[in-house]
PDB file of all heavy atoms in Angstrom:
ATOM      1  N   ARG T  28     -47.469 -64.779  11.436  1.00  0.00           N
ATOM      2  CA  ARG T  28     -48.283 -63.859  12.154  1.00  0.00           C
ATOM      3  C   ARG T  28     -48.097 -64.032  13.593  1.00  0.00           C
ATOM      4  O   ARG T  28     -48.096 -62.930  14.418  1.00  0.00           O
ATOM      5  CB  ARG T  28     -49.694 -63.916  11.732  1.00  0.00           C
ATOM      6  CG  ARG T  28     -49.950 -63.450  10.291  1.00  0.00           C
ATOM      7  CD  ARG T  28     -51.417 -63.584   9.803  1.00  0.00           C
ATOM      8  NE  ARG T  28     -51.701 -63.188   8.499  1.00  0.00           N
ATOM      9  CZ  ARG T  28     -52.761 -63.431   7.792  1.00  0.00           C
ATOM     10  NH1 ARG T  28     -53.749 -64.169   8.363  1.00  0.00           N
ATOM     11  NH2 ARG T  28     -52.930 -62.943   6.639  1.00  0.00           N
ATOM     12  N   ILE T  29     -48.139 -65.298  14.127  1.00  0.00           N
ATOM     13  CA  ILE T  29     -48.259 -65.482  15.632  1.00  0.00           C
ATOM     14  C   ILE T  29     -46.877 -65.321  16.330  1.00  0.00           C
ATOM     15  O   ILE T  29     -46.752 -65.212  17.465  1.00  0.00           O
ATOM     16  CB  ILE T  29     -48.873 -66.750  16.023  1.00  0.00           C
ATOM     17  CG1 ILE T  29     -48.125 -67.950  15.345  1.00  0.00           C
ATOM     18  CG2 ILE T  29     -50.386 -66.798  15.526  1.00  0.00           C
ATOM     19  CD1 ILE T  29     -48.647 -69.283  15.918  1.00  0.00           C
ATOM     20  N   ARG T  30     -45.761 -65.221  15.333  1.00  0.00           N
ATOM     21  CA  ARG T  30     -44.441 -65.148  15.988  1.00  0.00           C
ATOM     22  C   ARG T  30     -44.362 -63.657  16.625  1.00  0.00           C
ATOM     23  O   ARG T  30     -43.469 -63.507  17.527  1.00  0.00           O
ATOM     24  CB  ARG T  30     -43.386 -65.327  14.969  1.00  0.00           C
ATOM     25  CG  ARG T  30     -43.152 -66.864  14.649  1.00  0.00           C
ATOM     26  CD  ARG T  30     -42.052 -66.919  13.496  1.00  0.00           C
ATOM     27  NE  ARG T  30     -40.747 -66.764  14.151  1.00  0.00           N
ATOM     28  CZ  ARG T  30     -39.662 -66.528  13.298  1.00  0.00           C
ATOM     29  NH1 ARG T  30     -39.724 -66.764  11.947  1.00  0.00           N
ATOM     30  NH2 ARG T  30     -38.519 -66.409  13.956  1.00  0.00           N
ATOM     31  N   THR T  31     -45.023 -62.665  16.190  1.00  0.00           N
ATOM     32  CA  THR T  31     -45.050 -61.446  16.868  1.00  0.00           C
ATOM     33  C   THR T  31     -46.366 -61.180  17.442  1.00  0.00           C
ATOM     34  O   THR T  31     -47.347 -61.181  16.845  1.00  0.00           O
ATOM     35  CB  THR T  31     -44.784 -60.370  15.824  1.00  0.00           C
ATOM     36  OG1 THR T  31     -45.600 -60.477  14.681  1.00  0.00           O
ATOM     37  CG2 THR T  31     -43.429 -60.499  15.223  1.00  0.00           C
ATOM     38  N   LYS T  32     -46.325 -60.861  18.842  1.00  0.00           N
ATOM     39  CA  LYS T  32     -47.582 -60.687  19.623  1.00  0.00           C
ATOM     40  C   LYS T  32     -48.060 -59.344  19.629  1.00  0.00           C
ATOM     41  O   LYS T  32     -49.345 -59.175  19.904  1.00  0.00           O
ATOM     42  CB  LYS T  32     -47.368 -61.262  20.980  1.00  0.00           C
ATOM     43  CG  LYS T  32     -46.380 -60.554  21.794  1.00  0.00           C
ATOM     44  CD  LYS T  32     -46.259 -61.146  23.133  1.00  0.00           C
ATOM     45  CE  LYS T  32     -45.228 -60.366  24.044  1.00  0.00           C
ATOM     46  NZ  LYS T  32     -44.999 -61.012  25.278  1.00  0.00           N
ATOM     47  N   ASP T  33     -47.078 -58.310  19.418  1.00  0.00           N
ATOM     48  CA  ASP T  33     -47.519 -56.931  19.490  1.00  0.00           C
ATOM     49  C   ASP T  33     -46.712 -55.987  18.531  1.00  0.00           C
ATOM     50  O   ASP T  33     -45.829 -56.578  17.843  1.00  0.00           O
ATOM     51  CB  ASP T  33     -47.572 -56.406  20.904  1.00  0.00           C
ATOM     52  CG  ASP T  33     -46.185 -56.610  21.522  1.00  0.00           C
ATOM     53  OD1 ASP T  33     -45.228 -56.646  20.764  1.00  0.00           O
ATOM     54  OD2 ASP T  33     -46.125 -56.800  22.815  1.00  0.00           O
ATOM     55  N   ALA T  34     -47.054 -54.786  18.548  1.00  0.00           N
ATOM     56  CA  ALA T  34     -46.398 -53.767  17.687  1.00  0.00           C
ATOM     57  C   ALA T  34     -44.801 -53.687  18.096  1.00  0.00           C
ATOM     58  O   ALA T  34     -43.952 -53.575  17.095  1.00  0.00           O
ATOM     59  CB  ALA T  34     -46.999 -52.486  17.846  1.00  0.00           C
ATOM     60  N   GLY T  35     -44.512 -53.882  19.382  1.00  0.00           N
ATOM     61  CA  GLY T  35     -43.167 -53.732  19.804  1.00  0.00           C
ATOM     62  C   GLY T  35     -42.289 -54.791  19.167  1.00  0.00           C
ATOM     63  O   GLY T  35     -41.130 -54.685  18.723  1.00  0.00           O
ATOM     64  N   GLU T  36     -42.859 -56.023  19.129  1.00  0.00           N
ATOM     65  CA  GLU T  36     -42.083 -57.215  18.532  1.00  0.00           C
ATOM     66  C   GLU T  36     -42.053 -57.085  17.055  1.00  0.00           C
ATOM     67  O   GLU T  36     -41.071 -57.476  16.521  1.00  0.00           O
ATOM     68  CB  GLU T  36     -42.846 -58.524  18.910  1.00  0.00           C
ATOM     69  CG  GLU T  36     -42.488 -58.957  20.356  1.00  0.00           C
ATOM     70  CD  GLU T  36     -42.740 -60.475  20.530  1.00  0.00           C
ATOM     71  OE1 GLU T  36     -43.057 -61.180  19.575  1.00  0.00           O
ATOM     72  OE2 GLU T  36     -42.456 -60.879  21.731  1.00  0.00           O
ATOM     73  N   ARG T  37     -43.042 -56.581  16.421  1.00  0.00           N
ATOM     74  CA  ARG T  37     -42.996 -56.237  15.032  1.00  0.00           C
ATOM     75  C   ARG T  37     -41.781 -55.284  14.687  1.00  0.00           C
ATOM     76  O   ARG T  37     -41.182 -55.433  13.717  1.00  0.00           O
ATOM     77  CB  ARG T  37     -44.379 -55.875  14.444  1.00  0.00           C
ATOM     78  CG  ARG T  37     -45.361 -56.986  14.330  1.00  0.00           C
ATOM     79  CD  ARG T  37     -46.573 -56.553  13.500  1.00  0.00           C
ATOM     80  NE  ARG T  37     -47.357 -55.495  14.062  1.00  0.00           N
ATOM     81  CZ  ARG T  37     -48.341 -55.925  15.043  1.00  0.00           C
ATOM     82  NH1 ARG T  37     -48.478 -57.055  15.421  1.00  0.00           N
ATOM     83  NH2 ARG T  37     -49.006 -54.737  15.614  1.00  0.00           N
ATOM     84  N   ASN T  38     -41.855 -54.100  15.531  1.00  0.00           N
ATOM     85  CA  ASN T  38     -40.815 -53.269  15.248  1.00  0.00           C
ATOM     86  C   ASN T  38     -39.419 -53.856  15.436  1.00  0.00           C
ATOM     87  O   ASN T  38     -38.558 -53.600  14.519  1.00  0.00           O
ATOM     88  CB  ASN T  38     -40.980 -52.196  16.518  1.00  0.00           C
ATOM     89  CG  ASN T  38     -39.847 -51.256  16.631  1.00  0.00           C
ATOM     90  OD1 ASN T  38     -38.752 -51.536  16.354  1.00  0.00           O
ATOM     91  ND2 ASN T  38     -40.199 -49.955  17.106  1.00  0.00           N
ATOM     92  N   LEU T  39     -39.253 -54.727  16.422  1.00  0.00           N
ATOM     93  CA  LEU T  39     -37.963 -55.397  16.577  1.00  0.00           C
ATOM     94  C   LEU T  39     -37.716 -56.259  15.490  1.00  0.00           C
ATOM     95  O   LEU T  39     -36.428 -56.311  14.953  1.00  0.00           O
ATOM     96  CB  LEU T  39     -38.035 -56.165  18.015  1.00  0.00           C
ATOM     97  CG  LEU T  39     -36.706 -56.857  18.433  1.00  0.00           C
ATOM     98  CD1 LEU T  39     -35.688 -55.770  18.610  1.00  0.00           C
ATOM     99  CD2 LEU T  39     -36.963 -57.588  19.774  1.00  0.00           C
ATOM    100  N   GLN T  40     -38.561 -57.092  15.033  1.00  0.00           N
ATOM    101  CA  GLN T  40     -38.435 -57.942  13.906  1.00  0.00           C
ATOM    102  C   GLN T  40     -37.933 -57.198  12.661  1.00  0.00           C
ATOM    103  O   GLN T  40     -36.943 -57.672  11.983  1.00  0.00           O
ATOM    104  CB  GLN T  40     -39.714 -58.747  13.636  1.00  0.00           C
ATOM    105  CG  GLN T  40     -39.605 -59.770  12.530  1.00  0.00           C
ATOM    106  CD  GLN T  40     -40.797 -60.495  12.331  1.00  0.00           C
ATOM    107  OE1 GLN T  40     -41.920 -59.998  12.445  1.00  0.00           O
ATOM    108  NE2 GLN T  40     -40.828 -61.741  11.923  1.00  0.00           N
ATOM    109  N   PHE T  41     -38.618 -56.037  12.359  1.00  0.00           N
ATOM    110  CA  PHE T  41     -38.232 -55.321  11.121  1.00  0.00           C
ATOM    111  C   PHE T  41     -36.856 -54.758  11.287  1.00  0.00           C
ATOM    112  O   PHE T  41     -36.016 -54.806  10.357  1.00  0.00           O
ATOM    113  CB  PHE T  41     -39.232 -54.135  10.941  1.00  0.00           C
ATOM    114  CG  PHE T  41     -38.915 -53.322   9.784  1.00  0.00           C
ATOM    115  CD1 PHE T  41     -38.828 -53.586   8.475  1.00  0.00           C
ATOM    116  CD2 PHE T  41     -38.559 -51.917  10.126  1.00  0.00           C
ATOM    117  CE1 PHE T  41     -38.499 -52.890   7.501  1.00  0.00           C
ATOM    118  CE2 PHE T  41     -38.108 -50.997   9.138  1.00  0.00           C
ATOM    119  CZ  PHE T  41     -38.198 -51.560   7.808  1.00  0.00           C
ATOM    120  N   ALA T  42     -36.572 -54.156  12.493  1.00  0.00           N
ATOM    121  CA  ALA T  42     -35.221 -53.514  12.662  1.00  0.00           C
ATOM    122  C   ALA T  42     -34.091 -54.572  12.577  1.00  0.00           C
ATOM    123  O   ALA T  42     -33.059 -54.265  11.963  1.00  0.00           O
ATOM    124  CB  ALA T  42     -35.234 -52.898  14.170  1.00  0.00           C
ATOM    125  N   LEU T  43     -34.229 -55.743  13.218  1.00  0.00           N
ATOM    126  CA  LEU T  43     -33.201 -56.747  13.157  1.00  0.00           C
ATOM    127  C   LEU T  43     -33.100 -57.387  11.831  1.00  0.00           C
ATOM    128  O   LEU T  43     -31.982 -57.696  11.357  1.00  0.00           O
ATOM    129  CB  LEU T  43     -33.554 -57.913  14.044  1.00  0.00           C
ATOM    130  CG  LEU T  43     -33.675 -57.515  15.678  1.00  0.00           C
ATOM    131  CD1 LEU T  43     -33.876 -58.758  16.406  1.00  0.00           C
ATOM    132  CD2 LEU T  43     -32.232 -56.861  15.945  1.00  0.00           C
ATOM    133  N   SER T  44     -34.108 -57.509  11.017  1.00  0.00           N
ATOM    134  CA  SER T  44     -34.037 -57.815   9.573  1.00  0.00           C
ATOM    135  C   SER T  44     -33.262 -56.812   8.754  1.00  0.00           C
ATOM    136  O   SER T  44     -32.384 -57.232   7.810  1.00  0.00           O
ATOM    137  CB  SER T  44     -35.343 -58.042   8.900  1.00  0.00           C
ATOM    138  OG  SER T  44     -36.134 -56.971   8.752  1.00  0.00           O
ATOM    139  N   GLU T  45     -33.384 -55.495   9.074  1.00  0.00           N
ATOM    140  CA  GLU T  45     -32.636 -54.436   8.365  1.00  0.00           C
ATOM    141  C   GLU T  45     -31.197 -54.477   8.765  1.00  0.00           C
ATOM    142  O   GLU T  45     -30.338 -54.307   7.895  1.00  0.00           O
ATOM    143  CB  GLU T  45     -33.200 -53.079   8.904  1.00  0.00           C
ATOM    144  CG  GLU T  45     -34.499 -52.539   8.094  1.00  0.00           C
ATOM    145  CD  GLU T  45     -34.088 -52.207   6.764  1.00  0.00           C
ATOM    146  OE1 GLU T  45     -33.370 -51.133   6.468  1.00  0.00           O
ATOM    147  OE2 GLU T  45     -34.390 -52.969   5.721  1.00  0.00           O
ATOM    148  N   ILE T  46     -30.855 -54.685  10.090  1.00  0.00           N
ATOM    149  CA  ILE T  46     -29.460 -54.887  10.452  1.00  0.00           C
ATOM    150  C   ILE T  46     -28.937 -56.053   9.626  1.00  0.00           C
ATOM    151  O   ILE T  46     -27.733 -56.007   9.206  1.00  0.00           O
ATOM    152  CB  ILE T  46     -29.481 -55.114  11.985  1.00  0.00           C
ATOM    153  CG1 ILE T  46     -29.762 -53.773  12.712  1.00  0.00           C
ATOM    154  CG2 ILE T  46     -27.962 -55.650  12.369  1.00  0.00           C
ATOM    155  CD1 ILE T  46     -29.814 -53.942  14.249  1.00  0.00           C
ATOM    156  N   ASP T  47     -29.516 -57.183   9.583  1.00  0.00           N
ATOM    157  CA  ASP T  47     -29.038 -58.366   8.905  1.00  0.00           C
ATOM    158  C   ASP T  47     -28.843 -58.038   7.405  1.00  0.00           C
ATOM    159  O   ASP T  47     -27.830 -58.410   6.855  1.00  0.00           O
ATOM    160  CB  ASP T  47     -30.035 -59.377   9.009  1.00  0.00           C
ATOM    161  CG  ASP T  47     -29.324 -60.804   8.835  1.00  0.00           C
ATOM    162  OD1 ASP T  47     -28.386 -61.163   9.472  1.00  0.00           O
ATOM    163  OD2 ASP T  47     -29.929 -61.670   8.008  1.00  0.00           O
ATOM    164  N   ARG T  48     -29.717 -57.364   6.717  1.00  0.00           N
ATOM    165  CA  ARG T  48     -29.691 -57.023   5.366  1.00  0.00           C
ATOM    166  C   ARG T  48     -28.424 -56.079   5.179  1.00  0.00           C
ATOM    167  O   ARG T  48     -27.514 -56.341   4.193  1.00  0.00           O
ATOM    168  CB  ARG T  48     -30.894 -56.292   4.895  1.00  0.00           C
ATOM    169  CG  ARG T  48     -30.836 -55.807   3.442  1.00  0.00           C
ATOM    170  CD  ARG T  48     -31.981 -54.912   3.067  1.00  0.00           C
ATOM    171  NE  ARG T  48     -31.990 -53.707   3.780  1.00  0.00           N
ATOM    172  CZ  ARG T  48     -31.234 -52.669   3.440  1.00  0.00           C
ATOM    173  NH1 ARG T  48     -30.400 -52.764   2.493  1.00  0.00           N
ATOM    174  NH2 ARG T  48     -31.260 -51.450   4.135  1.00  0.00           N
ATOM    175  N   MET T  49     -28.226 -54.967   5.874  1.00  0.00           N
ATOM    176  CA  MET T  49     -27.090 -54.064   5.798  1.00  0.00           C
ATOM    177  C   MET T  49     -25.840 -54.859   6.097  1.00  0.00           C
ATOM    178  O   MET T  49     -24.808 -54.541   5.401  1.00  0.00           O
ATOM    179  CB  MET T  49     -27.379 -52.927   6.693  1.00  0.00           C
ATOM    180  CG  MET T  49     -28.587 -51.930   6.226  1.00  0.00           C
ATOM    181  SD  MET T  49     -28.660 -50.493   7.185  1.00  0.00           S
ATOM    182  CE  MET T  49     -29.073 -51.064   8.859  1.00  0.00           C
ATOM    183  N   ALA T  50     -25.726 -55.656   7.094  1.00  0.00           N
ATOM    184  CA  ALA T  50     -24.449 -56.398   7.423  1.00  0.00           C
ATOM    185  C   ALA T  50     -24.082 -57.336   6.286  1.00  0.00           C
ATOM    186  O   ALA T  50     -22.857 -57.379   6.058  1.00  0.00           O
ATOM    187  CB  ALA T  50     -24.800 -57.150   8.816  1.00  0.00           C
ATOM    188  N   SER T  51     -25.032 -57.861   5.660  1.00  0.00           N
ATOM    189  CA  SER T  51     -24.677 -58.675   4.588  1.00  0.00           C
ATOM    190  C   SER T  51     -24.054 -57.917   3.483  1.00  0.00           C
ATOM    191  O   SER T  51     -23.178 -58.355   2.651  1.00  0.00           O
ATOM    192  CB  SER T  51     -26.023 -59.585   4.099  1.00  0.00           C
ATOM    193  OG  SER T  51     -26.390 -60.486   5.097  1.00  0.00           O
ATOM    194  N   ALA T  52     -24.733 -56.723   3.200  1.00  0.00           N
ATOM    195  CA  ALA T  52     -24.253 -55.928   2.185  1.00  0.00           C
ATOM    196  C   ALA T  52     -22.872 -55.395   2.391  1.00  0.00           C
ATOM    197  O   ALA T  52     -21.995 -55.326   1.472  1.00  0.00           O
ATOM    198  CB  ALA T  52     -25.265 -54.770   1.910  1.00  0.00           C
ATOM    199  N   LEU T  53     -22.565 -55.182   3.739  1.00  0.00           N
ATOM    200  CA  LEU T  53     -21.153 -54.678   4.061  1.00  0.00           C
ATOM    201  C   LEU T  53     -20.183 -55.825   4.159  1.00  0.00           C
ATOM    202  O   LEU T  53     -19.003 -55.486   4.202  1.00  0.00           O
ATOM    203  CB  LEU T  53     -21.295 -53.886   5.303  1.00  0.00           C
ATOM    204  CG  LEU T  53     -22.103 -52.517   5.294  1.00  0.00           C
ATOM    205  CD1 LEU T  53     -22.222 -52.102   6.797  1.00  0.00           C
ATOM    206  CD2 LEU T  53     -21.192 -51.532   4.602  1.00  0.00           C
ATOM    207  N   GLY T  54     -20.659 -56.983   4.365  1.00  0.00           N
ATOM    208  CA  GLY T  54     -19.727 -58.158   4.319  1.00  0.00           C
ATOM    209  C   GLY T  54     -19.067 -58.169   5.755  1.00  0.00           C
ATOM    210  O   GLY T  54     -17.965 -58.619   5.793  1.00  0.00           O
ATOM    211  N   VAL T  55     -19.722 -57.824   6.775  1.00  0.00           N
ATOM    212  CA  VAL T  55     -19.100 -57.812   8.155  1.00  0.00           C
ATOM    213  C   VAL T  55     -19.445 -59.111   8.791  1.00  0.00           C
ATOM    214  O   VAL T  55     -20.416 -59.831   8.447  1.00  0.00           O
ATOM    215  CB  VAL T  55     -19.546 -56.689   9.120  1.00  0.00           C
ATOM    216  CG1 VAL T  55     -19.280 -55.346   8.487  1.00  0.00           C
ATOM    217  CG2 VAL T  55     -21.201 -56.685   9.173  1.00  0.00           C
ATOM    218  N   PRO T  56     -18.660 -59.714   9.713  1.00  0.00           N
ATOM    219  CA  PRO T  56     -18.860 -60.983  10.348  1.00  0.00           C
ATOM    220  C   PRO T  56     -20.059 -61.061  11.308  1.00  0.00           C
ATOM    221  O   PRO T  56     -20.643 -60.031  11.683  1.00  0.00           O
ATOM    222  CB  PRO T  56     -17.605 -61.189  11.302  1.00  0.00           C
ATOM    223  CG  PRO T  56     -16.983 -59.842  11.468  1.00  0.00           C
ATOM    224  CD  PRO T  56     -17.459 -58.996  10.130  1.00  0.00           C
ATOM    225  N   ARG T  57     -20.414 -62.290  11.750  1.00  0.00           N
ATOM    226  CA  ARG T  57     -21.640 -62.483  12.473  1.00  0.00           C
ATOM    227  C   ARG T  57     -21.526 -61.840  13.858  1.00  0.00           C
ATOM    228  O   ARG T  57     -22.561 -61.359  14.359  1.00  0.00           O
ATOM    229  CB  ARG T  57     -21.641 -64.081  12.713  1.00  0.00           C
ATOM    230  CG  ARG T  57     -22.967 -64.436  13.411  1.00  0.00           C
ATOM    231  CD  ARG T  57     -23.944 -64.728  12.377  1.00  0.00           C
ATOM    232  NE  ARG T  57     -25.310 -64.876  12.936  1.00  0.00           N
ATOM    233  CZ  ARG T  57     -26.496 -64.681  12.391  1.00  0.00           C
ATOM    234  NH1 ARG T  57     -26.591 -64.538  11.074  1.00  0.00           N
ATOM    235  NH2 ARG T  57     -27.648 -64.953  12.901  1.00  0.00           N
ATOM    236  N   SER T  58     -20.397 -61.691  14.427  1.00  0.00           N
ATOM    237  CA  SER T  58     -20.241 -61.110  15.759  1.00  0.00           C
ATOM    238  C   SER T  58     -20.806 -59.600  15.715  1.00  0.00           C
ATOM    239  O   SER T  58     -21.361 -59.147  16.634  1.00  0.00           O
ATOM    240  CB  SER T  58     -18.868 -61.048  16.224  1.00  0.00           C
ATOM    241  OG  SER T  58     -18.015 -60.397  15.423  1.00  0.00           O
ATOM    242  N   VAL T  59     -20.603 -58.893  14.597  1.00  0.00           N
ATOM    243  CA  VAL T  59     -21.029 -57.519  14.421  1.00  0.00           C
ATOM    244  C   VAL T  59     -22.538 -57.492  14.514  1.00  0.00           C
ATOM    245  O   VAL T  59     -23.081 -56.532  15.060  1.00  0.00           O
ATOM    246  CB  VAL T  59     -20.425 -56.796  13.191  1.00  0.00           C
ATOM    247  CG1 VAL T  59     -20.930 -55.494  12.937  1.00  0.00           C
ATOM    248  CG2 VAL T  59     -18.887 -56.762  13.287  1.00  0.00           C
ATOM    249  N   ARG T  60     -23.043 -58.333  13.802  1.00  0.00           N
ATOM    250  CA  ARG T  60     -24.602 -58.448  13.762  1.00  0.00           C
ATOM    251  C   ARG T  60     -25.157 -58.704  15.176  1.00  0.00           C
ATOM    252  O   ARG T  60     -26.160 -58.040  15.492  1.00  0.00           O
ATOM    253  CB  ARG T  60     -25.107 -59.493  12.928  1.00  0.00           C
ATOM    254  CG  ARG T  60     -24.636 -59.301  11.375  1.00  0.00           C
ATOM    255  CD  ARG T  60     -25.050 -60.555  10.480  1.00  0.00           C
ATOM    256  NE  ARG T  60     -24.223 -60.614   9.258  1.00  0.00           N
ATOM    257  CZ  ARG T  60     -24.604 -61.110   8.143  1.00  0.00           C
ATOM    258  NH1 ARG T  60     -25.710 -61.751   8.107  1.00  0.00           N
ATOM    259  NH2 ARG T  60     -23.831 -61.200   7.128  1.00  0.00           N
ATOM    260  N   GLU T  61     -24.563 -59.550  15.892  1.00  0.00           N
ATOM    261  CA  GLU T  61     -25.118 -59.878  17.309  1.00  0.00           C
ATOM    262  C   GLU T  61     -24.904 -58.537  18.110  1.00  0.00           C
ATOM    263  O   GLU T  61     -25.757 -58.301  18.905  1.00  0.00           O
ATOM    264  CB  GLU T  61     -24.149 -60.958  17.833  1.00  0.00           C
ATOM    265  CG  GLU T  61     -24.348 -62.297  17.374  1.00  0.00           C
ATOM    266  CD  GLU T  61     -25.619 -63.085  17.611  1.00  0.00           C
ATOM    267  OE1 GLU T  61     -26.249 -62.439  18.695  1.00  0.00           O
ATOM    268  OE2 GLU T  61     -26.123 -64.016  17.079  1.00  0.00           O
ATOM    269  N   VAL T  62     -23.763 -57.878  18.127  1.00  0.00           N
ATOM    270  CA  VAL T  62     -23.590 -56.622  18.893  1.00  0.00           C
ATOM    271  C   VAL T  62     -24.588 -55.573  18.515  1.00  0.00           C
ATOM    272  O   VAL T  62     -25.050 -55.005  19.312  1.00  0.00           O
ATOM    273  CB  VAL T  62     -22.013 -56.137  18.667  1.00  0.00           C
ATOM    274  CG1 VAL T  62     -21.818 -54.882  19.465  1.00  0.00           C
ATOM    275  CG2 VAL T  62     -21.090 -57.312  19.258  1.00  0.00           C
ATOM    276  N   ALA T  63     -24.801 -55.383  17.171  1.00  0.00           N
ATOM    277  CA  ALA T  63     -25.575 -54.361  16.669  1.00  0.00           C
ATOM    278  C   ALA T  63     -27.104 -54.749  17.117  1.00  0.00           C
ATOM    279  O   ALA T  63     -27.775 -53.821  17.575  1.00  0.00           O
ATOM    280  CB  ALA T  63     -25.634 -54.340  15.115  1.00  0.00           C
ATOM    281  N   SER T  64     -27.494 -56.046  17.167  1.00  0.00           N
ATOM    282  CA  SER T  64     -28.791 -56.431  17.626  1.00  0.00           C
ATOM    283  C   SER T  64     -28.916 -56.055  19.146  1.00  0.00           C
ATOM    284  O   SER T  64     -29.983 -55.678  19.633  1.00  0.00           O
ATOM    285  CB  SER T  64     -29.124 -57.908  17.530  1.00  0.00           C
ATOM    286  OG  SER T  64     -28.891 -58.187  16.110  1.00  0.00           O
ATOM    287  N   VAL T  65     -27.867 -56.314  19.910  1.00  0.00           N
ATOM    288  CA  VAL T  65     -27.983 -56.089  21.384  1.00  0.00           C
ATOM    289  C   VAL T  65     -27.984 -54.426  21.625  1.00  0.00           C
ATOM    290  O   VAL T  65     -28.837 -54.111  22.520  1.00  0.00           O
ATOM    291  CB  VAL T  65     -26.626 -56.582  22.083  1.00  0.00           C
ATOM    292  CG1 VAL T  65     -26.542 -56.104  23.519  1.00  0.00           C
ATOM    293  CG2 VAL T  65     -26.579 -58.089  22.078  1.00  0.00           C
ATOM    294  N   ILE T  66     -27.214 -53.745  20.829  1.00  0.00           N
ATOM    295  CA  ILE T  66     -27.396 -52.298  21.108  1.00  0.00           C
ATOM    296  C   ILE T  66     -28.811 -51.711  20.693  1.00  0.00           C
ATOM    297  O   ILE T  66     -29.363 -51.005  21.381  1.00  0.00           O
ATOM    298  CB  ILE T  66     -26.319 -51.575  20.015  1.00  0.00           C
ATOM    299  CG1 ILE T  66     -24.930 -51.842  20.554  1.00  0.00           C
ATOM    300  CG2 ILE T  66     -26.571 -50.029  20.093  1.00  0.00           C
ATOM    301  CD1 ILE T  66     -23.764 -51.421  19.723  1.00  0.00           C
TER     302      ILE T  66
END
């Protein structure tokens, strides 16, 4: 609970977990996940 201090961070946490889930399903390398997170 305390890892996210506001709604913005919760939004980011959910979005990045979605990117990680989809990247795993597609079988793309780690570098793609990093670039997607930066975008």
Side-chain angles (χ1 to χ4, degrees):
R28 286 175 182 172
I29 63 173
R30 282 181 73 186
T31 52
K32 63 181 180 185
D33 53 30
E36 282 201 0
R37 281 194 295 276
N38 168 330
L39 186 60
Q40 186 180 33
F41 174 67
L43 296 180
S44 66
E45 273 292 286
I46 288 171
D47 201 51
R48 179 188 66 78
M49 291 185 289
S51 295
L53 288 168
V55 293
R57 189 84 193 166
S58 62
V59 174
R60 304 180 195 199
E61 291 282 348
V62 173
S64 303
V65 170
I66 291 171

